[in-house]
Amino acid sequence: YLCLCKGWLSNKVRFFEAPLRYGEYQTLSSQGEGAHGLRQAKTEVLTVGHFTDPAGAPVSLVQVRLHTGRRHQIRAHLRYEGHPLIG
């Protein structure tokens, strides 16, 4: 997947492995995998480029590879890391 997200992510490959809570809106939890309703999720992110939007805000183009397939996994992991999706 190719995604645009807010802010500038580093150029190194990053792995996000926070568990996701199953439900209508998947949210991240700091609780362990044994907690009720949590599913392990792993997302690999590689920054392809850095840009600025028309207002001058930083934007990153990232390539995402899913190692697990959870609903809204990309959206949840990037938002949790402080880089919500914008496209």
Side-chain angles (χ1 to χ4, degrees):
Y1 297 91
L2 285 176
C3 306
L4 290 173
C5 60
K6 290 184 179 182
W8 286 339
L9 277 90
S10 67
N11 289 327
K12 66 180 182 174
V13 175
R14 299 179 69 183
F15 291 92
F16 304 140
E17 299 189 55
L20 299 175
R21 183 176 310 284
Y22 182 78
E24 182 179 348
Y25 297 101
Q26 294 232 338
T27 57
L28 290 162
S29 175
S30 59
Q31 298 172 341
E33 188 173 357
H36 180 68
L38 294 181
R39 292 180 164 182
Q40 192 59 31
K42 184 175 182 179
T43 306
E44 181 179 348
V45 177
L46 172 65
T47 300
V48 176
H50 294 113
F51 310 95
T52 54
D53 69 10
V59 175
S60 292
L61 175 65
V62 296
Q63 182 177 1
V64 177
R65 179 175 175 225
L66 299 176
H67 292 266
T68 54
R70 307 290 182 226
R71 181 185 296 163
H72 302 298
Q73 177 177 330
I74 296 170
R75 181 180 311 279
H77 274 168
L78 286 172
R79 183 183 64 219
Y80 182 75
E81 291 294 321
H83 301 282
L85 289 177
I86 57 174

